[in-house]
Amino acid sequence: MLGNFTYCNPTKLYFGNEALEGLAVELPKYGKKVLLVYGGGSIKKNGIYDSVVGILKDGGKEIVELAGVMPNPTSDKLNEGVRVARENKIDFILAVGGGSVCDYCKALSVSINCDDDPWDKYFIRFDEPECEIVPVGCVLTMVGTGSEMNGGSVITNHEQKLKIGHVFGEEVFPKFAILNPEFTLTIPKYQMVSGIFDIMSHILEQYFSGCDDNTSDYIMEGLLRSLIVSAGVAIENPYDYEARSNIMWTATWALNTLVAKGKTTDWMVHMLGQAVAAHNDATHGMTLSAVSLAYYRYILPYGTAKFARYAVNVWNVNPSGKSQTDVAQEGLAEMEKWMKKMGLAMSLSELGVTEDMLDGIVESTVIMDGGYKVLDKKEIKHVLKDSL
Ligand code: NZQ
Ligand code: ZN
């Protein structure tokens, strides 16, 4: 049965190759002092920085820069951002980058006016913000996370070996997001492919849960089919605007909260991937691809009907004359072939994980209970070992 829910997504999107014009439209709604947050410098190389700074200056804004937000942003970097924002009495935060920069800015937005330690409050205790939240806008340059239109924020604490996500409410969603597919054309292939798998994983982790036949399942099958077609084009020609724009749009829909409404969700692949990254700082989508097949093959007996449906509706497996289990397994075999063709990480050892690290990764894994099988620690170790 489709469950009861409330749905609101307050993020305003500007999409297309002229989307940056939306920034000038939005800026007058916010205060004068803008914290311009970005990563390791890709936006300076590809010219996005100059375009954004030009619009901010034309809009009469005072700019304070905060650079160097790393992939898998850390709690230490968050503390640095809080200091900078407080010293400069920031009115508005503009994230220019990928999921890491967007996530970081959302964490910052709820920490600037908060007296508690943000890591402990939001990522250990999962408290909700009580302070005044500084508004965030986002210019997206890397596709995959969906962070541009959701309340998610994932922060890593290397000392504690934890990478934890807090899903904040609608008051923390970016006020607006600029989605220009051309901005993503300079992403290195490794990152592009990682982002594509991140999208696939977001959809699958909401799909493989529950046994209802609801609207979300059909939407997700459509999103997956579109993603597979566009990814096939983009891997051959990364400069294909049509393919890259479809991938960008699919990424947003995969995790802007819509498809999860009224149904249960799994999210164990993300918990495993995040635990891996807490130990080796690996690229997000690759941590997911490295563990997915071992996880899905392990839980397949507990959700065979849905895996068979996935095989037929997404991978065009012909079910006639085959058992449900055979059909389900064939779907995962098709997925595996596709993943290899995309150049995804197919094992944890490719990401530098060794067997002696597994116990630590098990300890860093948050166990979710919405999937077809709630794993215990022994089973988590088994899946990780199978992923090596
Ligand atoms: O730092 P710069 O120099 O900008 O380089 C980045 C970075 O090295 C580069 N890049 C980004 N745009 C580029 C570009 N290089 C060239 N041209 C461009 N246009 O790409 C690298 C990766 O960027 P990053 O932002 O780390 O990637 P992604 O968007 O995959 O974000 C990953 C983070 O998002 C979290 C992940 O856990 C991870 O910490 N997630 C957030 C979610 C959410 N908010 O809902 C959900 C996701 O599942 C995910 O967990
Ligand atoms: Zn993800």
Side-chain angles (χ1 to χ4, degrees):
M1 191 189 88
L2 191 63
N4 303 342
F5 59 85
T6 304
Y7 179 65
C8 170
N9 192 316
T11 304
K12 181 170 176 181
L13 296 183
Y14 290 86
F15 191 96
N17 59 6
E18 293 173 355
L20 194 59
E21 289 173 8
L23 182 58
V25 179
E26 292 299 317
L27 284 177
K29 300 176 189 168
Y30 305 98
K32 197 173 168 62
K33 274 217 164 170
V34 175
L35 187 67
L36 172 60
V37 184
Y38 54 96
S42 69
I43 65 163
K44 290 205 166 162
K45 286 195 206 116
N46 58 25
I48 297 171
Y49 172 89
D50 288 338
S51 307
V52 167
V53 167
I55 294 170
L56 288 169
K57 285 187 174 158
D58 288 349
K61 301 295 178 185
E62 260 180 58
I63 306 169
V64 177
E65 291 196 22
L66 179 57
V69 175
M70 62 292 279
N72 304 325
T74 64
S75 50
D76 287 344
K77 186 72 184 172
L78 177 58
N79 293 336
E80 178 197 327
V82 170
R83 273 197 310 277
V84 172
R86 283 181 187 165
E87 277 163 23
N88 290 282
K89 299 196 167 43
I90 288 305
D91 299 310
F92 181 69
I93 304 170
L94 186 63
V96 186
S100 293
V101 175
C102 294
D103 278 18
Y104 176 83
C105 288
K106 284 182 252 177
L108 200 53
S109 76
V110 294
S111 303
I112 294 170
N113 297 315
C114 167
D115 294 331
D116 279 349
D117 177 82
W119 168 258
D120 287 342
K121 181 176 171 70
Y122 298 121
F123 300 93
I124 297 292
R125 299 200 305 270
F126 292 101
D127 288 350
E128 292 311 322
E130 291 128 11
C131 61
E132 194 190 326
I133 298 167
V134 181
V136 173
C138 163
V139 177
L140 193 68
T141 68
M142 155 83 198
V143 169
T145 65
S147 186
E148 65 276 11
M149 203 184 188
N150 70 34
S153 174
V154 185
I155 298 293
T156 299
N157 183 314
H158 286 300
E159 293 80 62
Q160 295 179 19
K161 295 225 178 300
L162 289 174
K163 179 178 175 184
I164 305 284
H166 185 131
V167 181
F168 290 103
E170 67 202 54
E171 67 284 0
V172 182
F173 282 43
K175 300 293 172 211
F176 62 85
I178 309 286
L179 274 60
N180 181 343
E182 285 176 354
F183 288 179
T184 70
L185 297 180
T186 53
I187 296 169
K189 209 166 193 176
Y190 187 82
Q191 292 291 345
M192 177 186 84
V193 170
S194 167
I196 287 170
F197 194 78
D198 193 20
I199 303 166
M200 177 171 272
S201 197
H202 293 157
I203 304 169
L204 293 181
E205 291 177 70
Q206 295 170 98
Y207 183 78
F208 287 129
S209 177
C211 25
D212 297 332
D213 178 34
N214 68 37
T215 302
S216 290
D217 291 319
Y218 294 88
I219 296 174
M220 288 190 273
E221 286 162 359
L223 291 173
L224 286 165
R225 292 181 74 92
S226 166
L227 181 68
I228 292 161
V229 169
S230 297
V233 175
I235 196 75
E236 296 298 330
N237 178 13
Y239 297 100
D240 189 297
Y241 179 86
E242 181 72 13
R244 297 300 289 272
S245 54
N246 279 318
I247 294 169
M248 190 173 216
W249 193 216
T250 303
T252 304
W253 280 101
L255 202 56
N256 70 358
T257 74
L258 178 91
V259 297
K261 292 297 173 192
K263 77 182 295 299
T264 54
T265 52
D266 177 333
W267 293 118
M268 239 0 261
V269 167
H270 265 66
M271 295 306 106
L272 291 163
Q274 286 176 199
V276 169
H279 286 256
N280 68 359
D281 214 22
T283 300
H284 175 61
M286 295 303 187
T287 63
L288 308 176
S289 67
V291 300
S292 280
L293 288 166
Y295 175 69
Y296 288 134
R297 285 186 171 127
Y298 188 76
I299 63 161
L300 184 146
Y302 306 93
T304 313
K306 195 63 171 280
F307 280 96
R309 174 179 170 158
Y310 170 64
V312 174
N313 291 356
V314 176
W315 295 104
N316 302 320
V317 170
N318 179 356
S320 65
K322 296 171 193 159
S323 72
Q324 200 175 51
T325 300
D326 285 349
V327 173
Q329 282 168 346
E330 215 176 304
L332 291 183
E334 287 301 317
M335 178 176 160
E336 181 169 11
K337 264 193 256 164
W338 177 84
M339 289 170 71
K340 286 183 176 156
K341 207 166 115 202
M342 294 301 292
L344 287 155
M346 301 302 291
S347 69
L348 285 175
S349 33
E350 282 172 59
L351 303 177
V353 175
T354 47
E355 194 154 356
D356 59 312
M357 293 165 69
L358 294 187
D359 285 331
I361 296 174
V362 171
E363 286 313 310
S364 303
T365 304
V366 176
I367 298 175
M368 307 296 276
D369 61 6
Y372 291 123
K373 168 87 174 76
V374 182
L375 302 192
D376 61 27
K377 288 190 179 186
K378 222 171 112 203
E379 290 171 303
I380 286 172
K381 175 121 181 234
H382 173 87
V383 169
L384 290 169
K385 223 170 160 180
D386 261 9
S387 309
L388 264 182

